Amino acid sequence: MIRVVLDTNVLVSALLFSGELGWIVEGWKSGAFVPVFSRETFDEFRRVLSYPKFSLTIQEIAALIEDEVLPFCEVVEIGEAILSVCRDPADDPFLSCAVAASADCIISGDKDLLTLGSFRNIPIMTAAAFRQRDL
């Protein structure tokens, strides 16, 4: 099974704005890949969903998480915290998650992650690049 770490912006965009990234949700629902979270990356995802700009109620956030994400994802425990690798330290938890999960890749639109290209042989790529891969 292909295990993928999705950065928060990609994940939120795929869930809330089905347009360009809607295929991501379809991909995990069809079993093409499994989104992987750590406690820290999941907490960030939940926090971002509550931003006022998204105008989601507590019930809508709960439904998104319980119906659209949790049945299809895997949560891993972080064994090794990756620190001070990314230019933006807030992105390091995605690296920690990918390493703990032995993920096949990290999908991101974040330049601070993308500039790394890969971390410990785990490719870091845009959603478009992931979609074009022959998996």
Side-chain angles (χ1 to χ4, degrees):
M1 180 56 67
I2 297 166
R3 302 167 88 207
V4 176
V5 174
L6 300 163
D7 86 9
T8 303
N9 290 332
V10 169
L11 182 60
V12 170
S13 294
L15 279 167
L16 299 184
F17 312 106
S18 59
E20 186 177 322
L21 296 178
W23 63 268
I24 292 175
V25 177
E26 294 169 18
W28 78 56
K29 285 184 172 184
S30 71
F33 62 89
V34 174
V36 181
F37 293 91
S38 67
R39 183 176 307 271
E40 194 170 356
T41 62
F42 192 81
D43 288 347
E44 178 181 319
F45 164 60
R46 186 178 9 215
R47 186 175 62 253
V48 168
L49 285 177
S50 69
Y51 286 0
K53 69 180 179 179
F54 297 127
S55 302
L56 295 172
T57 65
I58 292 170
Q59 294 80 8
E60 289 169 326
I61 292 169
L64 270 174
I65 291 171
E66 292 170 17
D67 299 338
E68 303 293 323
V69 179
L70 287 181
F72 307 99
C73 79
E74 179 181 340
V75 179
V76 296
E77 291 291 325
I78 301 301
E80 173 192 1
I82 308 299
L83 302 171
S84 302
V85 172
C86 286
R87 293 183 299 205
D88 179 356
D91 293 327
D92 287 334
F94 295 97
L95 301 177
S96 298
C97 180
V99 168
S102 298
D104 293 288
C105 68
I106 298 171
I107 301 176
S108 179
D110 185 310
K111 289 181 183 175
D112 293 323
L113 280 168
L114 291 170
T115 195
L116 295 173
S118 69
F119 182 73
R120 297 195 185 165
N121 295 318
I122 300 169
I124 302 169
M125 65 186 68
T126 64
F130 177 73
R131 190 174 196 185
Q132 292 174 356
R133 278 182 64 181
D134 183 25
L135 299 174

